[in-house]
Each structure stands twice: as structure tokens, then as C-alpha cells.
Amino acid sequence: MDNASYQVSDTRSVSRDTSPREEARVRFRDAADRIRAMIDNGRLRGPGRLGSGRLPSERELSSELGISRRVLRQALGLLEAEGRISRQHGRGTFATDARHATESLVHEMARLTNPVDVLETRLAIEPMQARLAALRATSGDIDRLFEAADASRDAKDPLSYEKADAAFHRRIAAAARNPLLIAIFDAVLETALEGAWRHGRETAHCINNQAAYAADHRKIANAIAERNAAQAEAAMRAHLNAVQKRLIEHAFPGASGE
């Protein structure tokens, strides 16, 4: 990549009236877009996790993209939260996006399964991810986790809540720092987001339940921030159990009283 051309395009993308904070956000998101393109175009070296390849070092990437190391780390944090990369201490940064490779599997699973099955699967993996996140999350992970919790609280409609909820749980998966668990979680999340289930999900996540779910998110985030692994695991399990209970009550009225 040509550093000069990057810097020109980067500067033009930011308005003169933009605040420093917003300018920084534009810069790291632009950097994240360019790294995504690098991954998607196969411009990585050597075998990586899931065979996707290893990214250049932070020094090389910051020089190639014409950005500071601070902006680069923000971009990498965003990509890690999305599941596009995994940063392994002492080993480097690897592309780990398994979602494209599992699209057909996700489609088939969505056809064969239902939201109750998905909640059972989430209960099997997400409490452990919350435990690991409490042990491994960085300060940046925790800041983003609270932002996502607040977004789930402030969502104005079912679709906005659904997106905020998915982002919150995805950030916990990223903070757990386990590429295989992230890949499994992504497959489960993609299955849950299949359009055929939308009406049922929106009903289950109606505005009356949103406040309770958002409060759960805050409890989980607090436990992770306090590095209380047992409490984080228990809070996640209690949250998903509550979601499952309401989902079953909606899908099978009267079943809970049997």
C-alpha cells in the first residue's frame, strides 16, 4: 500500500468541523476497513488459526497504513470484537473469521433447529466465555463491554435491541480470547439471526423484558470488570436461563406450569 495515498484519503474522510474524538473514530474505523480488505484479499503470510493467515506485526501494519500504533490497536480491537482476528500473546495476530466458511452449515442448522435449541447451546458455551472474559479481558474490552450494555438498555425498538444484545454477547466472546469458542459462538449467533425467526425473537425480547435483560448485561459486565470469574459465569447463566424461560413461555404457553 502507498502510505501517502492512504494519508490523503484518510484526511479527506474527516470534516474540518469534526471533533478530535470523532476524527479518531473515523481513522480507526477506516484502518479496520483496510485490514479487513487485506484479510479478504488473501494478503497474509503463513498458516494461521483456521488456515486464514497471520497479520504483519503492529510496527509493520502501522507503517503500511500510515497510522499511529494507538489508532492501529483501536482498529484491531474492533476487528477482534467482530471475530475477524485473534491476538495470541507471544505468537502474533491471526485472521480467525470462520463465518464465511460456515455459511452453508449455518443455513442448514437454521432450517433444522429452533430458538429453544439455540438457547440450550448458548447455555452450554456462554457462561464459560464469561468466566474466561473475567480472567482475560483487557481494559479496552471492558470499556467496550459497558458501552454495549448501555446500548442494550437504550435501544428504542426490538431490532435495535437485538443488534445491541448480539454485540454485547459478541464482545464477551472476543474478550474470552479463545478462537475456537469464538468460531462456535459465531455459528450459533448467525443461526439465531436467521430471518425466519425474527417475529418470535422480537416478541420474546419485547420492551417489557428489555429493561430486565439490560440490567442482566450490566451485572455480567460488572463481574467481568471486577475479575470475578465465578460471578461472571453465574450471572451469564442466570441471564440466559431467564431468556430461555420467557422464550419457552412464549413458544409453549402453559408449559411452565406442567
Side-chain angles (χ1 to χ4, degrees):
M1 297 181 190
D2 181 78
N3 289 348
S5 63
Y6 175 83
Q7 292 165 348
V8 170
S9 62
D10 189 342
T11 302
R12 289 177 178 174
S13 68
V14 181
S15 166
R16 291 181 180 178
D17 298 326
T18 302
S19 68
R21 183 175 181 178
E22 181 61 26
E23 180 177 344
R25 183 178 292 112
V26 170
R27 289 183 185 279
F28 88 73
R29 289 189 181 279
D30 184 58
D33 287 340
R34 299 195 67 170
I35 297 170
R36 283 192 201 94
M38 180 184 296
I39 295 170
D40 293 339
N41 294 336
R43 293 187 54 216
L44 303 181
R45 302 178 302 190
R49 308 292 179 186
L50 306 179
S52 300
R54 179 176 178 174
L55 274 68
S57 68
E58 286 190 6
R59 180 182 58 78
E60 292 173 301
L61 268 179
S62 61
S63 176
E64 185 172 355
L65 298 177
I67 57 176
S68 69
R69 296 280 285 272
R70 179 174 179 273
V71 171
L72 175 63
R73 289 184 183 121
Q74 289 178 311
L76 293 176
L78 176 62
L79 294 173
E80 187 172 31
E82 293 176 352
R84 298 303 305 268
I85 65 169
S86 174
R87 289 184 280 186
Q88 303 293 313
H89 181 68
R91 298 179 180 176
T93 302
F94 299 86
T96 58
D97 189 2
R99 285 171 290 183
H100 297 303
T102 60
E103 283 180 357
S104 60
L105 175 61
V106 167
H107 180 74
E108 183 66 12
M109 287 298 98
R111 186 179 69 82
L112 295 174
T113 192
N114 58 66
V116 176
D117 291 340
V118 168
L119 257 299
E120 290 177 352
T121 305
R122 292 180 63 183
L123 272 163
I125 63 174
E126 289 194 59
M128 176 56 71
Q129 286 183 314
R131 170 180 279 277
L132 293 174
L135 300 173
R136 301 173 178 175
T138 65
S139 59
D141 289 330
I142 292 170
D143 288 342
R144 290 186 288 270
L145 191 57
F146 278 110
E147 289 175 2
D150 290 345
S152 70
R153 178 198 63 200
D154 299 336
K156 303 302 182 184
D157 55 73
L159 183 57
S160 297
Y161 172 80
E162 183 178 89
K163 291 180 179 179
D165 176 67
F168 175 81
H169 288 272
R170 186 62 182 69
R171 290 194 184 282
I172 292 176
R177 298 288 190 281
N178 184 313
L180 185 55
L181 277 177
I182 289 174
I184 295 170
F185 175 84
D186 282 340
V188 174
L189 185 62
E190 290 297 317
T191 300
L193 293 176
E194 280 290 308
W197 295 359
R198 183 166 301 283
H199 175 70
R201 287 200 315 277
E202 288 182 356
T203 302
H205 292 158
C206 69
I207 203 69
N208 292 331
N209 292 330
Q210 178 183 343
Y213 293 160
D216 287 348
H217 290 167
R218 192 79 185 184
K219 289 178 184 177
I220 296 166
N222 282 332
I224 292 172
E226 292 167 2
R227 306 297 181 183
N228 191 326
Q231 187 175 331
E233 181 177 7
M236 177 62 80
R237 182 171 286 107
H239 169 58
L240 292 178
N241 275 327
V243 176
Q244 183 185 53
K245 181 176 182 292
R246 292 184 176 107
L247 186 62
I248 291 174
E249 287 172 349
H250 166 69
F252 308 104
S256 60
E258 292 181 359

